[in-house]
Amino acid sequence: MADIPEGLWLCANPRLRQFDRPLFDLLSQDIQLRCWHYSQTADEPCSLEIALLLLHDYLKQQPRPIHLIGHGLSGIVGLLYSQRYPEYVRSLTLLSVGVTPAVNWHAHYYALRESLPCRRSIVLNQMVRLLFGPQCPNRTAALMRILAKVLDMELTPHALGHRQTIPMRGVEVPLLVCHGANDMILDANSQSQWQRWFKPGDRRWMCPEGRHFFHYEYPQLSYRVLLDFWQEAETLPQADYALAAAAR
C-alpha cells in the first residue's frame, strides 16, 4: 500500500515544475506525494476541460481520496476539479490563486501586451520583475525564455485577443489558500476576499516577504504550514468515498 499516493501535486505548466521542486521534495519526506503533469502538443487546443477529464481519469482509479495541491494555473485546475468531484479529494491547497481565478500571471502578460506598444521581450522582462523581483541579466534572460515557452506551448486560459472567465464558487472539501505578501499579480484585496468562501476549518496563510512563487523562495516555511493542514484534514470526517464514487 506504500505506493498509493496520499497527495497529488498538479502541474499544468511543466516548464514551471522547477519552482515546485524544493517544496515537493520536502513534503515527499513525510507523505506519499506524486506529481500529475498535463502536457499538450502544438496541435491541441488550450482547454481546461481536457485537463480536468484527464485528471479525473487518474483520480477515479485511486482507492481513496487524495490531497490536491497546485500553484497558479495548476491550482485553478485543482479548484475546478474539487468543485466538480469533491468525493475524490481529501483536501485542496491553492498556492497563488486569487478569488477571481482567471486573474493569473498569464492574464497580466496579455494585458501588458495590449497596453504597452513595445516588443514582446520588454513585456517578458517586466513579467520577470513582477513574478520574481529584480534579477541579474543572465537569470532574467533564462526566466524570460521559460515564460515565453509556457505561453507559446503550454496550457493557458487566455490569448492576446481573448480572456477566459472562471466563475468563483466554494468547495466542499477542506481548503488551504496560500499566497505571498509581496505578490504583484494578486493584490491584497483579491487575497483577503477568499474569506467569503471559507467553511469552518478552512485556512488562509500569507508568506511574509514572498512573491508569486513564494513556495520556491521559502519552501521551509511553506512546508510546515502545508503539512500541518494535511495532517488536520486527515482527522476530519468525509462522506463515504466508495458509495459516492459508485454513484458516478
Side-chain angles (χ1 to χ4, degrees):
M1 298 291 288
D3 60 342
I4 297 176
E6 301 170 82
L8 191 66
W9 193 300
L10 306 178
C11 185
N13 291 138
R15 285 179 175 80
L16 301 180
R17 172 75 174 128
Q18 61 184 286
F19 304 114
D20 299 334
R21 178 61 68 180
L23 180 55
F24 179 94
D25 289 345
L26 287 173
L27 291 168
S28 296
Q29 297 173 14
D30 293 278
I31 74 166
Q32 291 292 327
L33 185 61
R34 301 288 182 267
C35 184
W36 179 86
H37 291 85
Y38 174 74
S39 298
Q40 62 182 35
T41 67
D43 295 327
E44 289 180 309
C46 284
S47 171
L48 290 172
E49 284 298 320
I50 295 176
L52 290 171
L53 176 63
L54 294 175
L55 177 58
H56 187 51
D57 285 344
Y58 175 80
L59 286 177
K60 68 184 181 183
Q61 300 178 44
Q62 304 306 314
R64 63 188 179 196
I66 291 180
H67 299 281
L68 296 184
I69 177 174
H71 174 270
L73 181 60
S74 303
I76 294 172
V77 172
L79 175 63
L80 295 174
Y81 185 86
S82 298
Q83 292 169 347
R84 191 173 299 182
Y85 302 108
E87 67 272 23
Y88 293 92
V89 181
R90 195 68 186 91
S91 74
L92 174 64
T93 299
L94 302 177
L95 310 179
S96 298
V97 177
V99 74
T100 305
V103 180
N104 62 355
W105 74 262
H106 304 77
H108 276 253
Y109 165 79
Y110 286 113
L112 288 175
R113 284 289 305 274
E114 288 183 345
S115 62
L116 298 179
C118 59
R119 297 191 307 275
R120 186 190 195 208
S121 60
I122 295 177
V123 177
L124 286 169
N125 187 291
Q126 179 65 14
M127 287 303 305
V128 168
R129 292 182 62 86
L130 289 174
L131 294 170
F132 300 97
Q135 305 287 319
C136 70
N138 287 343
R139 178 66 171 165
T140 296
L143 291 170
M144 287 171 59
R145 288 192 293 270
I146 292 172
L147 296 183
K149 288 180 179 178
V150 170
L151 291 163
D152 291 343
M153 304 176 67
E154 296 185 357
L155 181 65
T156 172
H158 309 295
L160 192 57
H162 171 72
R163 304 286 186 281
Q164 182 170 337
T165 60
I166 301 175
M168 181 55 199
R169 57 188 179 90
V171 294
E172 299 176 24
V173 303
L175 174 65
L176 170 64
V177 177
C178 304
H179 53 83
N182 297 326
D183 192 331
M184 302 300 291
I185 302 300
L186 308 176
D187 59 32
N189 181 58
S190 173
Q191 296 163 357
S192 64
Q193 286 188 29
W194 269 109
Q195 298 291 152
R196 299 180 347 183
W197 300 97
F198 278 5
K199 312 173 299 297
D202 290 349
R203 299 188 194 177
R204 184 169 72 94
W205 176 67
M206 181 181 69
C207 178
E209 308 294 328
R211 299 183 179 89
H212 194 66
F213 288 88
F214 69 90
H215 64 301
Y216 175 71
E217 300 171 298
Y218 300 99
Q220 287 283 352
L221 283 177
S222 305
Y223 156 76
R224 190 70 261 167
V225 173
L226 268 63
L227 188 61
D228 286 348
F229 172 71
W230 285 350
Q231 290 173 342
E232 181 179 318
E234 285 291 336
T235 68
L236 299 175
Q238 184 173 13
D240 187 280
Y241 173 72
L243 290 178
R248 290 282 176 183

